[in-house]
Amino acid sequence: MVALTTERPQGDARAAFELASADDSIGEEASAAPLYEAAMRLGLEPSLRRQASIQLASTLRNLGRADEGLALLHAERLQASDDLDDALAVFESLLLADLGREREGLSRALGAMAGHLPRYRRSVTNYAKALLTTAVGFSDDDLFLFARDGAPELPDTTDRGHITHDGARIWYASHGTGPAVVLLHGGLGHAGNWGYQVPALLAAGYRTVAIDSRGHGRSTRDDRPYSYELMAGDVLAVLDHLSIDRAAFVGWSDGACIALVLADMAPERATGVMFFACNVDDTGTLPFVGTPVIDRCFSRHGKDYAALSATPDDFGPFVEAVGAMQRSQPNYGAADLATLSRPFTIVQAEFEEFIRPEHARYLTATIPSAKLVTLPGVSHFAPLQRPATFNAAVLEFLKAQN
């Protein structure tokens, strides 16, 4: 092999890769690793780069450097998909197991296997996602898994369906018993985006009510423009249908706007509001800057809309209609905020893409009985990125309400 590689130009990436592979095959991982790294640094051709990444990650695992191998494959799976996707997932699962993240590793392996099991693809995919709801240390910071698979499905319940209210059919799902927690999703999403939160809340003894906002998910709408007031009215109608007098509201992005309106228009129905990643006026938002994470979330929203909506071909008009609401609402001034009587927990992510951090501080200073919580290491999509971090904040908020 050395003789053959000498026929290639000095500093040739392919030669370094072949030498690394040869050393790897005879158990010389210590010499193989730097050769793989050199091959990739020298500009290995795309058709071999993913192969080199997988082999280097495996080599690093054998050298006791599983964390480095996992980081390498994590970056690699964000690249273009190819016929080595499943191999990459299998080696990721081994590295995760070595790092004590067995459930996450098993989930990766099952997810790769599902595509080869047409009869059982859906059930195996769901099992893979369900494992993540209790996986220690699980993260999906880049939303790769969310874009590919969506959030874990909500648990089964017989207490789900539609109510008819104010020109729309509103879908809800109620789980468990105990103090009620209403989960209000973000714009363009749906109740299923809380798939990592519902099991954690049920385990802690709460009753959850997840609602598809008007025009989102399985809920319909009429011809009126979207408004947070209309959506808040829908939430109250669901609570009336379920005979729930009071609840804690956990709102994410647009869902936080709905929770704000609920606490204003019907404070007697709210034990408190967790207000995550939202503004109350047009000074609270950052200039929009697209990112791959935002693109992946948007892509998943489009797929879910097509799968769930009564108007599956209208995602474009839906996006524009929701955007028109977001650009013009809400409009709460300082005097309005000062009248809010329910406890608020204002939650801001460390890497929030849409809401100014000073806006969160302003809300905390202006709303009576408000406190500020900052979530480290996550962005606007924290409930999906690091569920354990977000769930801990939710449970701390609920503890204070009860």
Side-chain angles (χ1 to χ4, degrees), residues 84-120:
L84 289 177
D85 284 356
D86 291 343
L88 189 150
V90 168
F91 281 94
E92 269 193 302
S93 70
L94 287 170
L95 290 158
L96 286 163
D98 282 1
L99 293 169
R101 296 160 63 180
E102 291 87 352
R103 293 180 73 84
E104 192 177 348
L106 178 57
S107 175
R108 286 280 204 280
L110 287 176
M113 188 182 297
H116 304 283
L117 303 171
R119 185 181 296 274
Y120 306 106

PDB file of all heavy atoms in Angstrom, residues 84-120:
ATOM      1  N   LEU A  84     -24.555   6.559   2.701  1.00  0.00           N
ATOM      2  CA  LEU A  84     -23.882   6.224   3.952  1.00  0.00           C
ATOM      3  C   LEU A  84     -24.606   6.788   5.184  1.00  0.00           C
ATOM      4  O   LEU A  84     -24.093   6.683   6.302  1.00  0.00           O
ATOM      5  CB  LEU A  84     -22.435   6.752   3.925  1.00  0.00           C
ATOM      6  CG  LEU A  84     -21.474   6.020   2.986  1.00  0.00           C
ATOM      7  CD1 LEU A  84     -20.104   6.684   3.006  1.00  0.00           C
ATOM      8  CD2 LEU A  84     -21.343   4.549   3.362  1.00  0.00           C
ATOM      9  N   ASP A  85     -25.784   7.354   4.985  1.00  0.00           N
ATOM     10  CA  ASP A  85     -26.525   7.920   6.121  1.00  0.00           C
ATOM     11  C   ASP A  85     -26.753   6.893   7.220  1.00  0.00           C
ATOM     12  O   ASP A  85     -26.576   7.171   8.409  1.00  0.00           O
ATOM     13  CB  ASP A  85     -27.877   8.461   5.661  1.00  0.00           C
ATOM     14  CG  ASP A  85     -27.759   9.787   4.930  1.00  0.00           C
ATOM     15  OD1 ASP A  85     -26.643  10.332   4.850  1.00  0.00           O
ATOM     16  OD2 ASP A  85     -28.792  10.273   4.431  1.00  0.00           O
ATOM     17  N   ASP A  86     -27.161   5.681   6.833  1.00  0.00           N
ATOM     18  CA  ASP A  86     -27.453   4.665   7.836  1.00  0.00           C
ATOM     19  C   ASP A  86     -26.189   4.199   8.543  1.00  0.00           C
ATOM     20  O   ASP A  86     -26.197   3.952   9.757  1.00  0.00           O
ATOM     21  CB  ASP A  86     -28.169   3.471   7.201  1.00  0.00           C
ATOM     22  CG  ASP A  86     -29.574   3.825   6.743  1.00  0.00           C
ATOM     23  OD1 ASP A  86     -30.101   4.863   7.185  1.00  0.00           O
ATOM     24  OD2 ASP A  86     -30.138   3.069   5.930  1.00  0.00           O
ATOM     25  N   ALA A  87     -25.100   4.083   7.793  1.00  0.00           N
ATOM     26  CA  ALA A  87     -23.832   3.704   8.415  1.00  0.00           C
ATOM     27  C   ALA A  87     -23.409   4.754   9.430  1.00  0.00           C
ATOM     28  O   ALA A  87     -22.948   4.430  10.541  1.00  0.00           O
ATOM     29  CB  ALA A  87     -22.750   3.528   7.352  1.00  0.00           C
ATOM     30  N   LEU A  88     -23.583   6.013   9.072  1.00  0.00           N
ATOM     31  CA  LEU A  88     -23.239   7.086   9.992  1.00  0.00           C
ATOM     32  C   LEU A  88     -24.068   6.970  11.269  1.00  0.00           C
ATOM     33  O   LEU A  88     -23.549   7.118  12.385  1.00  0.00           O
ATOM     34  CB  LEU A  88     -23.477   8.426   9.294  1.00  0.00           C
ATOM     35  CG  LEU A  88     -22.975   9.683  10.003  1.00  0.00           C
ATOM     36  CD1 LEU A  88     -22.600  10.746   8.963  1.00  0.00           C
ATOM     37  CD2 LEU A  88     -24.030  10.253  10.933  1.00  0.00           C
ATOM     38  N   ALA A  89     -25.367   6.687  11.127  1.00  0.00           N
ATOM     39  CA  ALA A  89     -26.237   6.569  12.291  1.00  0.00           C
ATOM     40  C   ALA A  89     -25.821   5.407  13.185  1.00  0.00           C
ATOM     41  O   ALA A  89     -25.864   5.508  14.418  1.00  0.00           O
ATOM     42  CB  ALA A  89     -27.690   6.387  11.838  1.00  0.00           C
ATOM     43  N   VAL A  90     -25.400   4.300  12.593  1.00  0.00           N
ATOM     44  CA  VAL A  90     -24.971   3.140  13.376  1.00  0.00           C
ATOM     45  C   VAL A  90     -23.726   3.466  14.195  1.00  0.00           C
ATOM     46  O   VAL A  90     -23.650   3.139  15.390  1.00  0.00           O
ATOM     47  CB  VAL A  90     -24.716   1.930  12.455  1.00  0.00           C
ATOM     48  CG1 VAL A  90     -23.982   0.827  13.215  1.00  0.00           C
ATOM     49  CG2 VAL A  90     -26.031   1.404  11.902  1.00  0.00           C
ATOM     50  N   PHE A  91     -22.772   4.136  13.579  1.00  0.00           N
ATOM     51  CA  PHE A  91     -21.566   4.489  14.330  1.00  0.00           C
ATOM     52  C   PHE A  91     -21.859   5.562  15.385  1.00  0.00           C
ATOM     53  O   PHE A  91     -21.261   5.558  16.461  1.00  0.00           O
ATOM     54  CB  PHE A  91     -20.452   4.926  13.378  1.00  0.00           C
ATOM     55  CG  PHE A  91     -19.755   3.764  12.728  1.00  0.00           C
ATOM     56  CD1 PHE A  91     -20.149   3.306  11.488  1.00  0.00           C
ATOM     57  CD2 PHE A  91     -18.730   3.103  13.386  1.00  0.00           C
ATOM     58  CE1 PHE A  91     -19.527   2.221  10.894  1.00  0.00           C
ATOM     59  CE2 PHE A  91     -18.094   2.019  12.806  1.00  0.00           C
ATOM     60  CZ  PHE A  91     -18.500   1.566  11.555  1.00  0.00           C
ATOM     61  N   GLU A  92     -22.787   6.463  15.079  1.00  0.00           N
ATOM     62  CA  GLU A  92     -23.230   7.413  16.109  1.00  0.00           C
ATOM     63  C   GLU A  92     -23.800   6.672  17.315  1.00  0.00           C
ATOM     64  O   GLU A  92     -23.554   7.044  18.467  1.00  0.00           O
ATOM     65  CB  GLU A  92     -24.305   8.349  15.547  1.00  0.00           C
ATOM     66  CG  GLU A  92     -23.786   9.621  14.933  1.00  0.00           C
ATOM     67  CD  GLU A  92     -24.909  10.609  14.698  1.00  0.00           C
ATOM     68  OE1 GLU A  92     -25.860  10.273  13.984  1.00  0.00           O
ATOM     69  OE2 GLU A  92     -24.836  11.723  15.252  1.00  0.00           O
ATOM     70  N   SER A  93     -24.583   5.637  17.055  1.00  0.00           N
ATOM     71  CA  SER A  93     -25.200   4.893  18.153  1.00  0.00           C
ATOM     72  C   SER A  93     -24.141   4.231  19.030  1.00  0.00           C
ATOM     73  O   SER A  93     -24.268   4.209  20.265  1.00  0.00           O
ATOM     74  CB  SER A  93     -26.178   3.851  17.610  1.00  0.00           C
ATOM     75  OG  SER A  93     -25.513   2.786  16.957  1.00  0.00           O
ATOM     76  N   LEU A  94     -23.079   3.717  18.431  1.00  0.00           N
ATOM     77  CA  LEU A  94     -21.988   3.116  19.210  1.00  0.00           C
ATOM     78  C   LEU A  94     -21.295   4.168  20.084  1.00  0.00           C
ATOM     79  O   LEU A  94     -21.003   3.927  21.263  1.00  0.00           O
ATOM     80  CB  LEU A  94     -20.973   2.469  18.274  1.00  0.00           C
ATOM     81  CG  LEU A  94     -21.393   1.168  17.606  1.00  0.00           C
ATOM     82  CD1 LEU A  94     -20.376   0.790  16.530  1.00  0.00           C
ATOM     83  CD2 LEU A  94     -21.523   0.051  18.629  1.00  0.00           C
ATOM     84  N   LEU A  95     -21.031   5.321  19.500  1.00  0.00           N
ATOM     85  CA  LEU A  95     -20.360   6.387  20.244  1.00  0.00           C
ATOM     86  C   LEU A  95     -21.232   6.893  21.385  1.00  0.00           C
ATOM     87  O   LEU A  95     -20.747   7.139  22.495  1.00  0.00           O
ATOM     88  CB  LEU A  95     -20.009   7.531  19.290  1.00  0.00           C
ATOM     89  CG  LEU A  95     -18.899   7.206  18.278  1.00  0.00           C
ATOM     90  CD1 LEU A  95     -18.987   8.124  17.072  1.00  0.00           C
ATOM     91  CD2 LEU A  95     -17.535   7.318  18.921  1.00  0.00           C
ATOM     92  N   LEU A  96     -22.517   7.041  21.138  1.00  0.00           N
ATOM     93  CA  LEU A  96     -23.432   7.475  22.195  1.00  0.00           C
ATOM     94  C   LEU A  96     -23.470   6.469  23.338  1.00  0.00           C
ATOM     95  O   LEU A  96     -23.484   6.846  24.514  1.00  0.00           O
ATOM     96  CB  LEU A  96     -24.833   7.675  21.613  1.00  0.00           C
ATOM     97  CG  LEU A  96     -25.016   8.925  20.750  1.00  0.00           C
ATOM     98  CD1 LEU A  96     -26.275   8.820  19.901  1.00  0.00           C
ATOM     99  CD2 LEU A  96     -25.074  10.183  21.611  1.00  0.00           C
ATOM    100  N   ALA A  97     -23.473   5.188  22.998  1.00  0.00           N
ATOM    101  CA  ALA A  97     -23.468   4.154  24.036  1.00  0.00           C
ATOM    102  C   ALA A  97     -22.197   4.237  24.874  1.00  0.00           C
ATOM    103  O   ALA A  97     -22.240   4.113  26.107  1.00  0.00           O
ATOM    104  CB  ALA A  97     -23.602   2.778  23.402  1.00  0.00           C
ATOM    105  N   ASP A  98     -21.069   4.463  24.231  1.00  0.00           N
ATOM    106  CA  ASP A  98     -19.811   4.593  24.962  1.00  0.00           C
ATOM    107  C   ASP A  98     -19.826   5.782  25.918  1.00  0.00           C
ATOM    108  O   ASP A  98     -19.143   5.768  26.943  1.00  0.00           O
ATOM    109  CB  ASP A  98     -18.645   4.751  23.992  1.00  0.00           C
ATOM    110  CG  ASP A  98     -18.215   3.435  23.365  1.00  0.00           C
ATOM    111  OD1 ASP A  98     -18.843   2.409  23.689  1.00  0.00           O
ATOM    112  OD2 ASP A  98     -17.265   3.428  22.574  1.00  0.00           O
ATOM    113  N   LEU A  99     -20.596   6.796  25.562  1.00  0.00           N
ATOM    114  CA  LEU A  99     -20.656   8.011  26.379  1.00  0.00           C
ATOM    115  C   LEU A  99     -21.789   7.964  27.408  1.00  0.00           C
ATOM    116  O   LEU A  99     -22.112   8.966  28.030  1.00  0.00           O
ATOM    117  CB  LEU A  99     -20.831   9.229  25.467  1.00  0.00           C
ATOM    118  CG  LEU A  99     -19.631   9.537  24.564  1.00  0.00           C
ATOM    119  CD1 LEU A  99     -19.990  10.574  23.510  1.00  0.00           C
ATOM    120  CD2 LEU A  99     -18.438  10.020  25.394  1.00  0.00           C
ATOM    121  N   GLY A 100     -22.386   6.794  27.584  1.00  0.00           N
ATOM    122  CA  GLY A 100     -23.432   6.635  28.584  1.00  0.00           C
ATOM    123  C   GLY A 100     -24.790   7.120  28.141  1.00  0.00           C
ATOM    124  O   GLY A 100     -25.679   7.304  28.974  1.00  0.00           O
ATOM    125  N   ARG A 101     -24.980   7.306  26.847  1.00  0.00           N
ATOM    126  CA  ARG A 101     -26.250   7.803  26.314  1.00  0.00           C
ATOM    127  C   ARG A 101     -26.916   6.697  25.497  1.00  0.00           C
ATOM    128  O   ARG A 101     -27.215   6.827  24.326  1.00  0.00           O
ATOM    129  CB  ARG A 101     -26.013   9.069  25.487  1.00  0.00           C
ATOM    130  CG  ARG A 101     -25.464  10.215  26.329  1.00  0.00           C
ATOM    131  CD  ARG A 101     -24.772  11.296  25.518  1.00  0.00           C
ATOM    132  NE  ARG A 101     -25.652  11.981  24.589  1.00  0.00           N
ATOM    133  CZ  ARG A 101     -25.257  12.969  23.782  1.00  0.00           C
ATOM    134  NH1 ARG A 101     -24.006  13.390  23.823  1.00  0.00           N
ATOM    135  NH2 ARG A 101     -26.111  13.539  22.949  1.00  0.00           N
ATOM    136  N   GLU A 102     -27.149   5.553  26.180  1.00  0.00           N
ATOM    137  CA  GLU A 102     -27.593   4.348  25.488  1.00  0.00           C
ATOM    138  C   GLU A 102     -28.952   4.511  24.816  1.00  0.00           C
ATOM    139  O   GLU A 102     -29.154   4.029  23.690  1.00  0.00           O
ATOM    140  CB  GLU A 102     -27.639   3.154  26.458  1.00  0.00           C
ATOM    141  CG  GLU A 102     -26.288   2.681  26.940  1.00  0.00           C
ATOM    142  CD  GLU A 102     -25.807   3.422  28.179  1.00  0.00           C
ATOM    143  OE1 GLU A 102     -26.469   4.407  28.577  1.00  0.00           O
ATOM    144  OE2 GLU A 102     -24.771   3.017  28.740  1.00  0.00           O
ATOM    145  N   ARG A 103     -29.894   5.154  25.495  1.00  0.00           N
ATOM    146  CA  ARG A 103     -31.228   5.295  24.907  1.00  0.00           C
ATOM    147  C   ARG A 103     -31.179   6.135  23.634  1.00  0.00           C
ATOM    148  O   ARG A 103     -31.852   5.833  22.644  1.00  0.00           O
ATOM    149  CB  ARG A 103     -32.195   5.902  25.923  1.00  0.00           C
ATOM    150  CG  ARG A 103     -32.479   4.998  27.105  1.00  0.00           C
ATOM    151  CD  ARG A 103     -33.442   5.649  28.081  1.00  0.00           C
ATOM    152  NE  ARG A 103     -34.793   5.691  27.587  1.00  0.00           N
ATOM    153  CZ  ARG A 103     -35.681   4.700  27.682  1.00  0.00           C
ATOM    154  NH1 ARG A 103     -35.333   3.575  28.258  1.00  0.00           N
ATOM    155  NH2 ARG A 103     -36.910   4.831  27.202  1.00  0.00           N
ATOM    156  N   GLU A 104     -30.388   7.178  23.658  1.00  0.00           N
ATOM    157  CA  GLU A 104     -30.239   8.004  22.456  1.00  0.00           C
ATOM    158  C   GLU A 104     -29.561   7.203  21.349  1.00  0.00           C
ATOM    159  O   GLU A 104     -29.931   7.301  20.174  1.00  0.00           O
ATOM    160  CB  GLU A 104     -29.437   9.256  22.789  1.00  0.00           C
ATOM    161  CG  GLU A 104     -29.454  10.307  21.711  1.00  0.00           C
ATOM    162  CD  GLU A 104     -28.711  11.566  22.112  1.00  0.00           C
ATOM    163  OE1 GLU A 104     -28.381  11.720  23.312  1.00  0.00           O
ATOM    164  OE2 GLU A 104     -28.475  12.390  21.222  1.00  0.00           O
ATOM    165  N   GLY A 105     -28.565   6.399  21.728  1.00  0.00           N
ATOM    166  CA  GLY A 105     -27.896   5.561  20.740  1.00  0.00           C
ATOM    167  C   GLY A 105     -28.837   4.546  20.120  1.00  0.00           C
ATOM    168  O   GLY A 105     -28.833   4.331  18.895  1.00  0.00           O
ATOM    169  N   LEU A 106     -29.654   3.901  20.961  1.00  0.00           N
ATOM    170  CA  LEU A 106     -30.626   2.941  20.433  1.00  0.00           C
ATOM    171  C   LEU A 106     -31.615   3.638  19.514  1.00  0.00           C
ATOM    172  O   LEU A 106     -32.012   3.091  18.470  1.00  0.00           O
ATOM    173  CB  LEU A 106     -31.347   2.261  21.593  1.00  0.00           C
ATOM    174  CG  LEU A 106     -32.434   1.248  21.229  1.00  0.00           C
ATOM    175  CD1 LEU A 106     -31.877   0.135  20.349  1.00  0.00           C
ATOM    176  CD2 LEU A 106     -33.066   0.674  22.497  1.00  0.00           C
ATOM    177  N   SER A 107     -32.023   4.855  19.878  1.00  0.00           N
ATOM    178  CA  SER A 107     -32.928   5.615  19.030  1.00  0.00           C
ATOM    179  C   SER A 107     -32.321   5.873  17.659  1.00  0.00           C
ATOM    180  O   SER A 107     -32.996   5.741  16.631  1.00  0.00           O
ATOM    181  CB  SER A 107     -33.282   6.947  19.703  1.00  0.00           C
ATOM    182  OG  SER A 107     -34.075   7.748  18.854  1.00  0.00           O
ATOM    183  N   ARG A 108     -31.037   6.231  17.622  1.00  0.00           N
ATOM    184  CA  ARG A 108     -30.368   6.474  16.341  1.00  0.00           C
ATOM    185  C   ARG A 108     -30.378   5.206  15.491  1.00  0.00           C
ATOM    186  O   ARG A 108     -30.662   5.236  14.290  1.00  0.00           O
ATOM    187  CB  ARG A 108     -28.923   6.900  16.575  1.00  0.00           C
ATOM    188  CG  ARG A 108     -28.739   8.289  17.092  1.00  0.00           C
ATOM    189  CD  ARG A 108     -28.836   9.345  15.992  1.00  0.00           C
ATOM    190  NE  ARG A 108     -28.130  10.524  16.413  1.00  0.00           N
ATOM    191  CZ  ARG A 108     -28.609  11.436  17.245  1.00  0.00           C
ATOM    192  NH1 ARG A 108     -29.816  11.274  17.747  1.00  0.00           N
ATOM    193  NH2 ARG A 108     -27.887  12.496  17.577  1.00  0.00           N
ATOM    194  N   ALA A 109     -30.055   4.070  16.116  1.00  0.00           N
ATOM    195  CA  ALA A 109     -29.989   2.822  15.367  1.00  0.00           C
ATOM    196  C   ALA A 109     -31.362   2.414  14.841  1.00  0.00           C
ATOM    197  O   ALA A 109     -31.501   1.984  13.680  1.00  0.00           O
ATOM    198  CB  ALA A 109     -29.404   1.720  16.245  1.00  0.00           C
ATOM    199  N   LEU A 110     -32.394   2.549  15.667  1.00  0.00           N
ATOM    200  CA  LEU A 110     -33.742   2.210  15.225  1.00  0.00           C
ATOM    201  C   LEU A 110     -34.197   3.136  14.100  1.00  0.00           C
ATOM    202  O   LEU A 110     -34.864   2.692  13.152  1.00  0.00           O
ATOM    203  CB  LEU A 110     -34.714   2.296  16.390  1.00  0.00           C
ATOM    204  CG  LEU A 110     -34.640   1.182  17.436  1.00  0.00           C
ATOM    205  CD1 LEU A 110     -35.593   1.471  18.583  1.00  0.00           C
ATOM    206  CD2 LEU A 110     -34.938  -0.166  16.817  1.00  0.00           C
ATOM    207  N   GLY A 111     -33.855   4.424  14.217  1.00  0.00           N
ATOM    208  CA  GLY A 111     -34.224   5.354  13.163  1.00  0.00           C
ATOM    209  C   GLY A 111     -33.612   4.974  11.822  1.00  0.00           C
ATOM    210  O   GLY A 111     -34.257   5.091  10.775  1.00  0.00           O
ATOM    211  N   ALA A 112     -32.369   4.506  11.836  1.00  0.00           N
ATOM    212  CA  ALA A 112     -31.710   4.064  10.603  1.00  0.00           C
ATOM    213  C   ALA A 112     -32.344   2.781  10.075  1.00  0.00           C
ATOM    214  O   ALA A 112     -32.516   2.599   8.862  1.00  0.00           O
ATOM    215  CB  ALA A 112     -30.223   3.855  10.857  1.00  0.00           C
ATOM    216  N   MET A 113     -32.739   1.912  10.983  1.00  0.00           N
ATOM    217  CA  MET A 113     -33.308   0.629  10.589  1.00  0.00           C
ATOM    218  C   MET A 113     -34.720   0.768  10.026  1.00  0.00           C
ATOM    219  O   MET A 113     -35.146  -0.012   9.161  1.00  0.00           O
ATOM    220  CB  MET A 113     -33.335  -0.306  11.799  1.00  0.00           C
ATOM    221  CG  MET A 113     -33.719  -1.743  11.487  1.00  0.00           C
ATOM    222  SD  MET A 113     -33.773  -2.733  13.000  1.00  0.00           S
ATOM    223  CE  MET A 113     -32.056  -2.621  13.516  1.00  0.00           C
ATOM    224  N   ALA A 114     -35.447   1.773  10.486  1.00  0.00           N
ATOM    225  CA  ALA A 114     -36.860   1.915  10.115  1.00  0.00           C
ATOM    226  C   ALA A 114     -37.058   1.980   8.605  1.00  0.00           C
ATOM    227  O   ALA A 114     -38.024   1.428   8.069  1.00  0.00           O
ATOM    228  CB  ALA A 114     -37.452   3.153  10.775  1.00  0.00           C
ATOM    229  N   GLY A 115     -36.153   2.666   7.919  1.00  0.00           N
ATOM    230  CA  GLY A 115     -36.287   2.804   6.475  1.00  0.00           C
ATOM    231  C   GLY A 115     -36.178   1.497   5.721  1.00  0.00           C
ATOM    232  O   GLY A 115     -36.576   1.405   4.554  1.00  0.00           O
ATOM    233  N   HIS A 116     -35.658   0.467   6.361  1.00  0.00           N
ATOM    234  CA  HIS A 116     -35.503  -0.845   5.726  1.00  0.00           C
ATOM    235  C   HIS A 116     -36.614  -1.814   6.128  1.00  0.00           C
ATOM    236  O   HIS A 116     -36.550  -2.995   5.784  1.00  0.00           O
ATOM    237  CB  HIS A 116     -34.138  -1.439   6.103  1.00  0.00           C
ATOM    238  CG  HIS A 116     -32.995  -0.543   5.744  1.00  0.00           C
ATOM    239  ND1 HIS A 116     -32.518  -0.410   4.453  1.00  0.00           N
ATOM    240  CD2 HIS A 116     -32.256   0.304   6.509  1.00  0.00           C
ATOM    241  CE1 HIS A 116     -31.519   0.461   4.441  1.00  0.00           C
ATOM    242  NE2 HIS A 116     -31.345   0.916   5.671  1.00  0.00           N
ATOM    243  N   LEU A 117     -37.604  -1.304   6.852  1.00  0.00           N
ATOM    244  CA  LEU A 117     -38.698  -2.146   7.346  1.00  0.00           C
ATOM    245  C   LEU A 117     -40.030  -1.560   6.898  1.00  0.00           C
ATOM    246  O   LEU A 117     -40.766  -0.984   7.701  1.00  0.00           O
ATOM    247  CB  LEU A 117     -38.643  -2.231   8.876  1.00  0.00           C
ATOM    248  CG  LEU A 117     -37.337  -2.752   9.490  1.00  0.00           C
ATOM    249  CD1 LEU A 117     -37.354  -2.567  10.995  1.00  0.00           C
ATOM    250  CD2 LEU A 117     -37.127  -4.215   9.132  1.00  0.00           C
ATOM    251  N   PRO A 118     -40.364  -1.660   5.620  1.00  0.00           N
ATOM    252  CA  PRO A 118     -41.562  -0.966   5.113  1.00  0.00           C
ATOM    253  C   PRO A 118     -42.839  -1.318   5.868  1.00  0.00           C
ATOM    254  O   PRO A 118     -43.699  -0.465   6.069  1.00  0.00           O
ATOM    255  CB  PRO A 118     -41.622  -1.380   3.643  1.00  0.00           C
ATOM    256  CG  PRO A 118     -40.708  -2.559   3.515  1.00  0.00           C
ATOM    257  CD  PRO A 118     -39.658  -2.391   4.559  1.00  0.00           C
ATOM    258  N   ARG A 119     -42.971  -2.559   6.304  1.00  0.00           N
ATOM    259  CA  ARG A 119     -44.181  -2.958   7.011  1.00  0.00           C
ATOM    260  C   ARG A 119     -44.276  -2.303   8.394  1.00  0.00           C
ATOM    261  O   ARG A 119     -45.368  -2.058   8.910  1.00  0.00           O
ATOM    262  CB  ARG A 119     -44.241  -4.475   7.141  1.00  0.00           C
ATOM    263  CG  ARG A 119     -45.546  -4.992   7.764  1.00  0.00           C
ATOM    264  CD  ARG A 119     -45.519  -6.494   7.888  1.00  0.00           C
ATOM    265  NE  ARG A 119     -45.458  -7.141   6.597  1.00  0.00           N
ATOM    266  CZ  ARG A 119     -46.522  -7.435   5.836  1.00  0.00           C
ATOM    267  NH1 ARG A 119     -47.730  -7.114   6.269  1.00  0.00           N
ATOM    268  NH2 ARG A 119     -46.379  -8.035   4.681  1.00  0.00           N
ATOM    269  N   TYR A 120     -43.121  -2.043   9.008  1.00  0.00           N
ATOM    270  CA  TYR A 120     -43.088  -1.538  10.374  1.00  0.00           C
ATOM    271  C   TYR A 120     -42.431  -0.167  10.483  1.00  0.00           C
ATOM    272  O   TYR A 120     -42.065   0.265  11.565  1.00  0.00           O
ATOM    273  CB  TYR A 120     -42.341  -2.529  11.276  1.00  0.00           C
ATOM    274  CG  TYR A 120     -42.897  -3.929  11.217  1.00  0.00           C
ATOM    275  CD1 TYR A 120     -42.211  -4.936  10.543  1.00  0.00           C
ATOM    276  CD2 TYR A 120     -44.114  -4.229  11.806  1.00  0.00           C
ATOM    277  CE1 TYR A 120     -42.731  -6.218  10.464  1.00  0.00           C
ATOM    278  CE2 TYR A 120     -44.646  -5.508  11.740  1.00  0.00           C
ATOM    279  CZ  TYR A 120     -43.956  -6.503  11.062  1.00  0.00           C
ATOM    280  OH  TYR A 120     -44.470  -7.765  10.991  1.00  0.00           O
TER     281      TYR A 120
END
